[in-house]
Amino acid sequence: MVGGSGGEILVVAEHHAGQVKPVSLELAAFGRALAQATGKTATGVILAYPARPLAESFAQASGLPVLALENENLSCYNAEAHLQALAGLARERKPALILIAHTATGWDFAPRLAAALGASCCTGITGFKIGDPIRFLRGICGGKIMTEVAPIADTVAVVTMMPGAAKPKAPAGAGSVEIIHAEVNTAGTRTLGYQEAPPRSLDLAKAEVIVAAGRGIGGPEHLGLIRELAACFDRGAVGASRPVCDAGWLPLEHQVGMTGQTVAPRLYLACGISGAIQHCMGMSRAELIVAINTDPGAAIFNVAHLGIVQDLHRFLPALIAKLRERKQKKL
Amino acid sequence: MKILVCVKSVPDPTTTFLINAAGAGYEESGVVFGVNEYDWYAMEEAVRIKERVKETEITALIVGPLRAEAALRKAMTLGADRGLRIDDTDQPASDALAVASLIAAWAGDRNFDLILAGVMSQDLQRGQTGPMLAQLLGLPCATMVVAVKWAEDRRSLICERELEGGLRERIALPLPALLTVQSGLNTPRYASLTNVLRVKQLSIPSIPASSLGPVKKCEDLLRAFLPEQSAACEFLEGDLDRIAEKLVAKVRQRVPVW
């Protein structure tokens, strides 16, 4: 077990295709706020090869002093190489906390790192509350319940932060960079490469209004209503939640959320969408969010500006009729 | 080939949740429980492997009280050979490390070639149990898997993991290994009547968690509460026509898109 009594917070950055990911700057801001509130220091960590350009870029954009772990096996993400390098660093520096972004990458290695270190593990948190012990906030049950969780006393805490939980802040100046050679070998898992998402014929980012369908529409036979509503707008498009695309009701290019497209239209009409955090991450920046759902407890109402607790099969025809009426009056 | 599929019993996501008396979770009485959605994809993938690889045996496992057996049986109807429940009634395995360490203690010397689990549970959404189990057993692991195929050597798997924005990462894992699977990996079949009847007659052994060593912990759940309905959300009420009218007016006022 690694004692977590130290005063350091390690902020683990991610990179892809030679760039530090934007979420890492959110994480740095979160780490800095946490350090300030708890009287600790925040240190950036990046694992890369070659490490210097990425480390300097992270140190400059975050303002954190950055430790760069360098090894040929760290040129792209490999779970085992990451684990070995980070576990080695944690055993040496005995940080109080290791902060990781709750991305497909961070989520992949964070629980294993915690198990390897005998550490506490709090994943997918959206905020913190100062106190003894410190509490992290996490939504459960599709966002219907909020919880406060705390790391186990006297252990290092591995914590993953939901993207969007903090806003990146411009630093006063660039942090220092220290390059450390990391000992890693990757006997097991081999990274073979990346496959870009197929080119999209639909760019939801250009839509002014998105009418998004969730599982609550009931089946692909009800998509006509969604399309009809979207067609009421000059620049309207049809979006979807993950379950709708998984079920094959709509092609993947319609998917909004963490693993789909991130959108910020003027108007987002969420129809039968429960409001899983992964979906909300992709649309919470819309100017006006309207949610239509039969379940008044659905988490979508926590992010919506206007809520309608109705069966969309009955409500949408009424809305479409109203919109057409207006249009005709205008003509 | 020996495959282990980990299943969790979770509340129906459309449940109207209440906070329990301890203030540290949801009230379970009156709640309808079912199979964690992601576990269906894990079970389906196991059954597909069994259809292609001779002498494959699928064991399905659940950690939980007696009520969890129903979800285990339901998941097994896709084609699992046998099931097992680790009974944590006496010392509830409240967090992911607790569950992972119990499964690791049981599975440790049973030489599974492949362990499959859902990417996360629908209720607690932590996504920790699978990767922690892999670490405790010293297995390579891939999470958020959306495609699986055999490598040419037939001793490793080529997996595609889904990253942000639809980007996919391809990795090769030597067996034995653990995968956590994402929805969309496959389309789970409907259980055949033969399998439903077979599973109904199977007995599901249970072993007490206490026989598997001390339950570990990796976090304390201190408090659960219902989030305040976002003050920003204004609910529109009335008959359908009236709501539609209000909505059009309000939208016009704030974002003049119509």
Side-chain angles (χ1 to χ4, degrees), chain A residues 42-68:
Chain A
T43 306
V45 177
I46 197 158
L47 301 88
Y49 185 87
R52 188 166 289 280
L54 280 160
E56 283 177 350
S57 154
F58 185 47
Q60 188 158 28
S62 70
L64 297 178
V66 171
L67 298 170

Side-chain angles (χ1 to χ4, degrees), chain A residues 104 107-108 112 120-121 123 138 141 144 146-150 190 192-193 195 233 242 246 259 302 305 307, chain B residues 13 15 123 126 128 143 161-162 164 168 170 172 182-183 218-220 222-223 225 227 232 234 236 258:
Chain A
W107 195 0
D108 187 60
R112 273 187 276 178
S120 297
C121 190
T123 48
R138 176 171 61 216
C141 297
K144 287 182 173 181
M146 278 304 297
T147 59
E148 294 176 4
V149 295
R190 275 181 306 129
L192 303 174
Q195 193 185 332
F233 305 95
R242 185 182 180 102
D246 280 343
T259 51
N302 298 333
H305 305 106
Chain B
T15 303
D123 57 347
R126 292 178 296 212
Q128 298 177 3
T143 59
R161 299 185 57 234
E162 190 178 47
E164 285 74 16
R168 287 184 173 200
R170 290 179 65 235
Q182 178 59 283
S183 59
C218 66
E219 68 178 353
D220 277 321
L222 298 179
R223 184 176 164 234
F225 56 101
E234 180 189 346
L236 305 182
W258 61 42

Side-chain angles (χ1 to χ4, degrees), chain B residues 99-164:
Chain B
V99 176
S101 56
L102 287 173
I103 301 175
W106 179 80
D109 54 0
R110 286 185 162 77
N111 300 317
F112 287 102
D113 300 290
L114 180 63
I115 302 180
L116 294 167
V119 64
M120 61 177 155
S121 61
Q122 280 170 287
D123 57 347
L124 300 184
Q125 302 177 288
R126 292 178 296 212
Q128 298 177 3
T129 306
M132 282 181 174
L133 175 59
Q135 190 65 31
L136 296 175
L137 291 173
L139 298 178
C141 165
T143 59
M144 284 162 255
V145 171
V146 287
V148 183
K149 63 175 192 189
W150 289 94
E152 269 173 30
D153 64 5
R154 310 291 292 172
R155 295 170 67 176
S156 50
L157 294 173
I158 311 282
C159 297
E160 286 183 15
R161 299 185 57 234
E162 190 178 47
L163 313 186
E164 285 74 16

Side-chain angles (χ1 to χ4, degrees), chain B residues 3-5 7 43 57-63 69 71-77 79-86 106 112 198-199 202-207:
Chain B
I3 304 178
L4 177 67
V5 180
V7 180
M43 185 59 84
E57 192 197 49
I58 303 172
T59 303
L61 181 150
I62 202 158
V63 177
E69 192 187 297
L72 179 69
R73 282 185 185 273
K74 211 165 174 191
M76 288 175 67
T77 58
D81 297 285
R82 52 199 207 92
L84 175 83
R85 180 171 62 90
I86 296 177
W106 179 80
F112 287 102
R198 180 182 59 83
V199 170
L202 278 179
S203 77
I204 306 282
S206 82
I207 52 172

Side-chain angles (χ1 to χ4, degrees), chain B residues 2 19 23 31 39 43 53 67 80 87 100 107 119 154 161-162 177 182 189 201-203 212 216 222 224 244 252 257:
Chain B
K2 285 177 71 181
I19 302 301
V31 170
D39 303 344
M43 185 59 84
V53 181
R67 68 143 169 83
D87 189 338
V119 64
R154 310 291 292 172
R161 299 185 57 234
E162 190 178 47
Q182 178 59 283
R189 69 196 63 199
Q201 280 163 7
L202 278 179
S203 77
L212 295 168
K216 295 178 181 169
L222 298 179
R252 271 178 68 85
V257 289

